[in-house]
Amino acid sequence: MQASHRISHILGGGSDGWGVFTKARRMIAEGTKVTELTIGEHDIGTAAPILQDMHRAAIEGHTGYAAVPGTNALRDRVAARVARRTGVPTTRDNVLITPGGQAGLFATHIGCCDAGDTALFIDPYYATYPGTIRGAGAEPLAIAADPDAGFQPRAADIAAVAKGAKSLLVNSPNNPTGVVYSRATLEGIAQVCADHNLWLISDEVYDTQVWKGEHISPRALPGMADRTLVIGSMSKSHAMTGSRCGWIVGPVEMIEHLTNLATHTTYGVPGFIQDAAVFALDQGPAFEAEVGEPFRRRRALAHDILAGQNAVTLVPSDGAMYLMLDIRSTGLSGEAFAEALLEAHHIAVMPGESFGRAAAGHLRVAMTVDDNRFAEALSTLCGFARERAEAA
Ligand code: PMP
């Protein structure tokens, strides 16, 4: 029996880009100590009071089917939070609760694109993007953001391929680069969406992790609320990755369609998880800042370490839990460098190529181990890059 073309081509014939990660995990399983700076997951777990509230909700009986679009309490919290942070009037009818941001990415592409339609996205990109688009039956088309322009996408480059496309997916603060899109970048993107009648899917799962400047949601730009679908999540802001709780915010009519889709796919998110998310959101911005604090601290450490050398260049970035390092001076690809670093020093980082061609010759470093280990690993990485650059 054969699997459908759609599902057997999710990876598009390429690799999933997780080779170094898989190898590191194998080494760990075999007993080698590896410093993993690979996946985007906090080194702390979900805070105990959130888990206690989850337990309370379950024991009190919120274990049956929950309302498919989400509980009113959580939808109201998400709507109020989005309205407060962006100034855009938002009610529960604009909100669908999803099992994580990833499910939101898939659902929005189903919602915007018919089979075979073109769905645009920016390279470098979060590794699941093209597969999510293919899984939804659409054709992914990447638009490269130039490393030498700070990885801020250019409106003209998007406009050049936008004719006939249905959607554009953007992500700020960005995974893998950490770049926060400027107002000018987002205004350019909004203009292209208006000119070419595109849906804008705005992945804002890192919206609380902005270390300098401000996060701008493109939904707040003039005329954009009607064509923007925002993806949000409890994963990064509240260290709740395993709880699988996220949302889509958008126009009421689209949220109704997406609720129909949810009825026929996920059938909603467990009630006790949603109650814990309400509890977590009620802890307010101070708690969110606390969850992000280790990344802010390590980013400052990294700036100090990188300032003292010149084999590695840090891509200027202001958000998320990642650093993007330019290692082109070594003459190695990101893949070759990451493989060699893992072999020689048991430090695992992600090759830029895992996130698209635009990030070739770069590494993504997740700031997800304790400060001392992080600083030591980064210093070792810089020393290794210097040796390689001198040999080049
Ligand atoms: N978008 C981006 C940019 C991400 O980095 C991630 C997770 N790494 C997600 C979406 C999905 O997150 P989740 O499903 O846990 O909400």
Side-chain angles (χ1 to χ4, degrees):
M1 293 298 290
Q2 276 217 322
S4 70
H5 177 87
R6 179 186 289 189
I7 201 166
S8 54
H9 286 73
I10 281 186
L11 298 182
S15 95
D16 63 1
W18 290 91
V20 174
F21 170 79
T22 311
K23 192 163 173 193
R25 283 285 154 105
R26 203 166 49 233
M27 288 166 69
I28 292 167
E30 287 162 2
T32 307
K33 190 168 176 233
V34 176
T35 301
E36 286 189 287
L37 306 174
T38 45
I39 55 170
E41 189 158 41
H42 318 69
D43 44 323
I44 52 164
T46 305
I50 299 176
L51 298 176
Q52 277 150 8
D53 197 72
M54 198 181 286
H55 183 249
R56 178 203 55 75
I59 291 293
E60 285 176 10
H62 208 170
T63 53
Y65 293 124
V68 171
T71 64
N72 285 342
L74 183 54
R75 294 170 85 200
D76 285 347
R77 290 311 189 288
V78 171
R81 182 174 188 269
V82 167
R84 187 182 70 242
R85 291 174 65 88
T86 65
V88 185
T90 307
T91 73
R92 76 169 68 135
D93 295 333
N94 298 110
V95 179
L96 172 70
I97 305 300
T98 60
Q102 183 60 48
L105 287 166
F106 181 72
T108 47
H109 282 94
I110 294 260
C112 298
C113 300
D114 283 306
D117 282 343
T118 299
L120 307 173
F121 66 108
I122 309 294
D123 172 0
Y125 50 84
Y126 173 46
T128 69
Y129 281 3
T132 302
I133 292 168
R134 284 189 208 99
E139 290 292 331
L141 181 61
I143 299 154
D146 182 357
D148 300 320
F151 286 115
Q152 300 265 344
R154 271 190 291 254
D157 295 338
I158 304 171
V161 293
K163 195 161 179 278
K166 288 289 169 61
S167 61
L168 167 65
L169 170 57
V170 298
N171 170 223
S172 171
N174 185 267
N175 177 8
T177 62
V179 168
V180 178
Y181 289 180
S182 68
R183 183 172 290 278
T185 294
L186 290 168
E187 282 173 353
I189 286 170
Q191 191 60 52
V192 178
C193 289
D195 291 348
H196 294 272
N197 200 25
L198 297 177
W199 281 101
L200 181 61
I201 301 173
S202 178
D203 179 345
E204 302 181 16
V205 302
Y206 294 98
D207 65 345
T208 61
Q209 296 181 4
V210 177
W211 318 126
K212 225 174 84 199
E214 54 170 346
H215 170 252
I216 301 166
S217 172
R219 180 167 175 263
L221 298 179
M224 288 305 286
D226 285 344
R227 62 169 73 251
T228 304
L229 298 167
V230 175
I231 308 293
S233 173
M234 298 299 290
S235 288
K236 315 292 176 175
S237 54
H238 293 77
M240 289 180 70
T241 46
S243 291
R244 315 308 305 130
C245 188
W247 53 81
I248 301 167
V249 171
V252 173
E253 202 186 326
M254 181 56 121
I255 293 297
E256 283 169 5
H257 290 306
L258 290 168
T259 302
N260 283 335
L261 178 67
T263 300
H264 296 86
T265 51
T266 63
Y267 215 78
V269 173
F272 54 93
I273 301 275
Q274 296 194 60
D275 287 355
V278 167
F279 175 87
L281 289 173
D282 284 349
Q283 305 311 300
F287 179 76
E288 293 166 12
E290 205 180 298
V291 171
E293 188 52 33
F295 307 124
R296 181 192 293 279
R297 225 173 38 230
R298 290 168 199 158
R299 177 176 178 271
L301 276 175
H303 275 253
D304 288 347
I305 293 166
L306 293 166
Q309 56 79 56
N310 53 19
V312 171
T313 310
L314 177 62
V315 170
S317 67
D318 298 322
M321 52 176 83
Y322 312 102
L323 300 172
M324 186 53 95
L325 304 179
D326 182 346
I327 48 105
R328 285 178 288 180
S329 74
T330 65
L332 296 178
S333 68
E335 263 158 12
F337 188 103
E339 289 272 350
L341 183 70
L342 181 61
E343 283 292 323
H345 293 289
H346 301 170
I347 296 169
V349 296
M350 294 294 290
E353 292 83 358
S354 297
F355 307 99
R357 279 190 225 140
H362 289 70
L363 305 171
R364 187 192 77 170
V365 175
M367 299 184 277
T368 48
V369 296
D370 73 62
D371 297 19
N372 289 338
R373 210 167 164 203
F374 175 71
E376 199 185 309
L378 199 56
S379 300
T380 305
L381 185 156
C382 289
F384 185 70
R386 192 181 54 243
E387 285 164 25
R388 292 302 169 123
E390 282 165 6

